[in-house]
Amino acid sequence: MEFIPYTLKWLELILRWGHVLFAILWVGNSFLFNYLDNKLEKNMISKGVDADGILQHSGWFYRVERLNAAPEKFSKNLIIFKWQSYLTFITGMLLLIIIY
């Protein structure tokens, strides 16, 4: 039974670093979307598109559009930025349980 304290210490270490990593990802995504909201140009031509812009990364160009409402049809490759916040919360709660 002397391995239990070591196991708890390793679990605490993994949860701490996971919590830090997920929090950094969450804050980074928040900065990205705030940047996009401030830098996208207002679109006066299309009714459905509120703003648009072009991003460049690694030699590739990406068109970004902010829509007024959700589209009728979603791509099967829809990217949802929610897991960073969920995992930050979950690892924080597990840390509280283990430490206290």
Side-chain angles (χ1 to χ4, degrees), residues 31-94:
F31 278 125
L32 171 66
F33 283 105
N34 281 324
Y35 177 80
L36 285 176
D37 279 342
N38 291 328
K39 296 296 180 181
L40 291 180
E41 297 176 10
K42 294 287 182 191
N43 188 340
M44 303 297 178
I45 300 169
S46 175
K47 263 189 157 181
V49 177
D50 181 48
D52 60 359
I54 296 177
L55 298 177
Q56 189 267 334
H57 180 68
S58 298
W60 295 94
F61 294 91
Y62 302 89
R63 180 177 306 280
V64 179
E65 295 179 340
R66 183 174 61 212
L67 305 176
N68 289 329
E72 294 175 13
K73 183 180 168 188
F74 285 101
S75 169
K76 66 179 181 177
N77 296 328
L78 179 66
I79 300 170
I80 301 176
F81 295 95
K82 66 180 179 182
W83 290 107
Q84 298 92 344
S85 55
Y86 285 168
L87 290 172
T88 302
F89 178 77
I90 290 169
T91 53
M93 288 296 113
L94 290 173

